[in-house]
Amino acid sequence: MSVTNNLIQIQNQIEKSAQDAARQSKDIHLVAVSKKQSIEHIKAALDAGHRLFGENRVQEAQEHWSDLKSQYPDLQLHLIGPLQTNKVKEAVALFDVIETLDRKKLARALADEMKKQDRPLPCFIQVNTGEEEQKAGIIPAELNDFYNFCADECALDIQGLMCIPPADDPPALHFALLAKFAGELGLKHLSMGMSADFEKAIALGATYIRVGTGVFGARD
Ligand SMILES: *Cc1c(COP(=O)(O)O)cnc(C)c1O
């Protein structure tokens, strides 16, 4: 399967899942996750007209996108992996949306850097819905306080929530939980669902789905 065909097929699945959920497919955005993919694959997606991509590491994202960004002014890059505060400067310069805001120190660093660069980027708060030790994200019990800190004290533009469900749990439980939290906070965007489960995520309200292997094939 080619990247072009994969994109068409996923778009069809998005249409169908949206219809089944009585939603509009234009409200569901496909973030093509290009981590560990070849430049050839990335260019194939760009040639097919795709413009929304996700990367989980700042350095790899720079390698993939620094040059292409000037060629494609309508490109949108989402950071979907953990961000260290010493990489905030590079991240704010390169990305258009930060999906992995998950601690106060990072919120402050991002707010300062966005001011400095005059790039007030939309942010998502990553929620560790499964409360897994090793996983990034704010735990649900701290979400309200953290949201207020980000929105009020740091004046960050918080647009939604993001989660990565535990590998061995039914993802729908976590998608439903994330949707409930977003509803309580009045946030309209939900980044949830990957190659294996994006249809369930759409059924539960995803507005951004993050699909890597489904678009590009297996990673290097
Ligand atoms: C890699 C990655 C994805 C994409 O996963 P696939 O299973 O390849 O679709 C989505 N979200 C995050 C945070 C990732 O790191």
Side-chain angles (χ1 to χ4, degrees), residues 20-219:
D20 290 347
R23 301 183 57 200
Q24 298 205 323
S25 59
K26 70 168 175 56
D27 297 330
I28 299 149
H29 307 280
L30 171 61
V31 179
V33 178
S34 48
K35 69 183 183 201
K36 298 199 179 104
Q37 297 290 347
S38 66
I39 292 293
E40 287 67 38
H41 279 161
I42 290 172
K43 286 194 172 149
L46 287 165
D47 285 344
H50 200 76
R51 292 294 181 269
L52 175 56
F53 295 88
E55 291 277 354
N56 71 335
R57 299 184 57 196
V58 175
Q59 195 188 327
E60 189 189 4
Q62 286 175 317
E63 288 161 15
H64 278 164
W65 295 104
S66 288
D67 292 343
L68 289 170
K69 243 204 145 173
S70 48
Q71 267 172 267
Y72 295 92
D74 53 348
L75 194 70
Q76 287 280 314
L77 281 184
H78 285 216
L79 177 64
I80 61 169
L83 178 57
Q84 250 110 54
T85 46
N86 65 358
K87 296 274 174 60
V88 157
K89 186 176 172 189
E90 285 89 346
V92 169
L94 180 67
F95 288 98
D96 302 289
V97 175
I98 307 291
E99 292 202 14
T100 49
L101 181 54
D102 66 352
R103 57 199 191 279
K104 289 186 175 177
K105 188 178 171 209
L106 178 62
R108 274 212 201 284
L110 278 170
D112 289 348
E113 189 60 36
M114 287 178 193
K115 215 173 278 164
K116 211 186 251 176
Q117 295 188 29
D118 194 22
R119 270 177 69 77
L121 306 181
C123 295
F124 287 56
I125 293 173
Q126 182 176 355
V127 185
N128 186 355
T129 54
E131 304 192 35
E132 294 172 281
E133 286 285 340
Q134 80 288 3
K135 197 163 272 176
I138 196 96
I139 60 167
E142 291 171 5
L143 176 58
N144 270 327
D145 172 64
F146 183 62
Y147 169 78
N148 289 333
F149 177 82
C150 293
D152 300 340
E153 283 190 50
C154 298
L156 287 166
D157 175 15
I158 307 298
Q159 297 206 341
L161 303 179
M162 176 270 209
C163 77
I164 308 170
D168 44 13
D169 258 11
L173 290 176
H174 297 271
F175 298 156
L177 198 57
L178 197 72
K180 173 177 155 301
F181 295 150
E184 287 165 0
L185 292 170
L187 294 169
K188 70 172 181 184
H189 284 295
L190 285 168
S191 172
M192 57 190 198
M194 320 202 293
S195 295
D197 53 23
F198 70 83
E199 288 154 307
K200 281 191 200 86
I202 291 170
L204 290 161
T207 60
Y208 287 88
I209 58 172
R210 311 178 307 266
V211 181
T213 50
V215 171
F216 295 107
R219 282 182 276 276

